Amino acid sequence: MSASSNSNWSRRSLFRAAAGMAAAGTLAACGSNNGRGGGSSSGDHLVQYFHAYGEAGTEQAIKKYAKAYPKADVSTQWITGSDFESKLFATLLTANAPDLFEFHPQIQLVKSGQVADLSDIIDPVKSDFNQADIASHTVDGKIYGVRMIDDPQFFFYRKSMLEKAKVEVPQTLDELIEAAAKLTTGKVKGAFLGNDLHAVINPLIWSSGADTLTADNRPAFNTDGVAEGLTKMRKLFTSGSLLLGAPADYWDPSAINQGLCAIQFCGMWAMPAMQQALGDDLGVFPFPKAADAGKPSVYNGGWSMFVNAKGKNVDAAKEYVKWLWIEQKKYQEDWALSYGFHIPPRSSIAASATKLQSGLPAEGVKLFDQYGHFDNIGWTQAMITATENVFADCVRKNGDPKASLDTAEKTVSAELKKLFG
């Protein structure tokens, strides 16, 4: 789901930034000497933290689910604006820490003992989850976090604008650059990839035939293909056909809805709002092949529920997570499909999701199944920042891609050594 419409920041990088800084540093010091104990299921009041989703009805839905829970009083902190991550991680250091919170898989949260092992509640239904979601939340065979929604991200385009400009749907990054130039007119830019471009860093890596890390946790992004992709991104950035400085970032559909661009990188969550504004004048395509060794890619974002292992109601919090995100399939389906479109991580729910079975949503699901890439739990904020620096150096400035990638690889290797030895 999208972030609150009144903030202008990269959901993924900022949230994970907080996770990285907090879990790697100060949170690690918040150990068992906090005087609060842990694991008691006697607490009958639980607090959960959510960031403010942009879709109407989401806050009411989460509170409705909580109110229906018979075993505890569950209150929701619905945090608006761009301060969710700072409030969450500052509060985790205090006696007022939430019992459970939504976030993304981050290995530092596991290594610092901040999040509880949820294997016992997930194992009985593990086979009903998308197995890539299970893998992205697993460390040493234990599962930390229940996936609530999967959020594929790809390009949306105005069919009428492409037809008028006699432009075919781009199959390669070169074709996207050419298309953006032809689609740029007086008031309309050819494409919008977000204000800071951070949303397309991993897709560029994957579409260039590389990956963030190898299966045995070594850097995998420093390749000739990625260097080639960066050179092309620089060409697009300087072409004059890219929308820069839009009123809202990539996660908000207003740029394409208001006719500011012909093609926009965004998430499946925005499909209903786009369809309401533009009707059937919409198509989707993955991040296109960026180098000879590559193939198209789709980044799967999304949100997961975690239990604060250092809280005073660990067992009670786990029980609530089990009730809502494992047992209450009706609520899980409502959350995924009634407030924007998201793919339910439970295969049984996804299979019966009629809203995703035809038209544009079905095309999005197909792209997700065919080209989807999931978060790597070992890809930390320091690593994310390293690749953001590569984009800043090579795409925004005119830095040498290979030199920038070499620098990033050194940073990532040092982080991996700290994490995995």
Side-chain angles (χ1 to χ4, degrees):
M1 292 186 186
S2 75
S4 148
S5 57
N6 65 354
S7 60
N8 185 22
W9 42 280
S10 164
R11 297 152 74 225
R12 185 163 149 265
S13 62
L14 226 72
F15 279 51
R16 293 181 64 156
M21 291 183 292
T26 48
L27 281 189
C30 179
S32 58
N33 62 345
N34 57 16
R36 286 184 285 136
S40 163
S41 61
S42 60
D44 56 4
H45 180 76
L46 299 172
V47 176
Q48 59 178 353
Y49 268 31
F50 275 77
H51 84 286
Y53 289 79
E55 295 84 346
T58 46
E59 181 179 6
Q60 292 79 3
I62 280 295
K63 290 179 176 177
K64 178 183 81 177
Y65 310 152
K67 195 175 179 184
Y69 184 55
K71 293 185 181 176
D73 169 31
V74 183
S75 63
T76 305
Q77 291 279 335
W78 190 258
I79 298 159
T80 58
S82 59
D83 63 346
F84 173 76
E85 73 298 327
S86 56
K87 181 158 186 182
L88 170 63
F89 287 100
T91 312
L92 281 172
L93 298 171
T94 72
N96 298 318
D99 299 289
L100 52 159
F101 55 91
E102 65 167 0
F103 208 69
H104 313 289
Q106 276 276 336
I107 198 162
Q108 302 101 313
L109 291 172
V110 176
K111 297 229 171 216
S112 65
Q114 189 66 56
V115 292
D117 173 12
L118 304 183
S119 306
D120 56 333
I121 64 173
I122 298 172
D123 278 343
V125 292
K126 187 176 169 181
S127 61
D128 189 37
F129 273 87
N130 184 316
Q131 292 307 293
D133 277 324
I134 293 292
S136 70
H137 291 70
T138 300
V139 177
D140 297 332
K142 294 175 181 176
I143 307 167
Y144 298 87
V146 180
R147 192 66 148 185
M148 300 183 292
I149 44 173
D150 282 329
D151 279 337
Q153 299 170 19
F154 25 61
F155 284 103
F156 292 80
Y157 65 93
R158 297 281 301 273
K159 290 179 178 178
S160 59
M161 289 184 177
L162 268 68
E163 282 164 19
K164 189 180 176 186
K166 296 183 171 59
V167 168
E168 296 291 318
V169 175
Q171 304 294 310
T172 65
L173 186 52
D174 287 325
E175 288 177 13
L176 177 63
I177 294 166
E178 288 168 26
K182 288 178 184 171
L183 291 162
T184 298
T185 60
K187 292 179 180 176
V188 182
K189 291 291 186 181
F192 178 48
L193 279 63
N195 287 327
D196 58 14
L197 306 181
H198 291 169
V200 300
I201 294 175
N202 282 12
L204 178 75
I205 290 171
W206 296 319
S207 289
S208 301
D211 206 340
T212 51
L213 300 173
T214 62
D216 59 349
N217 294 309
R218 295 176 189 277
F221 57 86
N222 187 1
T223 68
D224 291 342
V226 173
E228 185 186 331
L230 287 164
T231 301
K232 291 173 184 177
M233 284 297 298
R234 170 70 182 169
K235 184 180 176 184
L236 178 59
F237 182 76
T238 55
S239 66
S241 50
L242 205 58
L243 175 64
L244 300 166
D249 213 340
Y250 82 100
W251 44 259
D252 186 300
S254 56
I256 194 167
N257 285 358
Q258 293 169 11
L260 301 179
C261 60
I263 297 172
Q264 177 177 342
F265 190 79
C266 194
M268 191 159 143
W269 59 78
M271 265 186 195
M274 286 187 192
Q275 289 176 313
Q276 196 176 349
L278 304 169
D280 293 330
D281 189 23
L282 275 172
V284 287
F285 65 92
F287 195 97
K289 177 177 172 174
D292 288 342
K295 66 177 186 178
S297 68
V298 170
Y299 171 65
N300 176 46
W303 292 91
S304 309
M305 185 52 59
F306 297 90
V307 168
N308 177 12
K310 296 175 179 177
K312 51 183 179 280
N313 299 309
V314 176
D315 290 345
K318 283 177 69 172
E319 220 170 306
Y320 175 66
V321 169
K322 181 184 177 186
W323 175 83
L324 179 52
W325 299 111
I326 304 289
E327 295 172 355
Q328 303 302 311
K329 286 194 172 186
K330 188 177 126 188
Y331 289 151
Q332 292 160 41
E333 184 175 17
D334 181 62
W335 187 238
L337 299 165
S338 298
Y339 318 95
F341 287 161
H342 318 267
I343 298 177
R346 299 285 290 275
S347 308
S348 57
I349 299 174
S352 62
T354 52
K355 288 178 181 177
L356 304 182
Q357 286 170 1
S358 61
L360 195 67
E363 287 181 52
V365 172
K366 188 179 174 186
L367 294 179
F368 169 81
D369 289 338
Q370 200 170 353
Y371 301 119
H373 290 263
F374 291 66
D375 278 320
N376 185 322
I377 198 168
W379 187 247
T380 68
Q381 177 50 36
M383 302 175 199
I384 293 165
T385 302
T387 52
E388 287 172 356
N389 290 342
V390 170
F391 252 60
D393 184 45
C394 301
V395 180
R396 290 187 169 275
K397 300 172 194 165
N398 198 23
D400 174 55
K402 207 72 186 81
S404 290
L405 288 167
D406 286 344
T407 301
E409 184 176 2
K410 283 177 191 159
T411 302
V412 170
S413 295
E415 284 301 306
L416 290 167
K417 193 172 181 183
K418 274 191 260 178
L419 285 168
F420 300 105

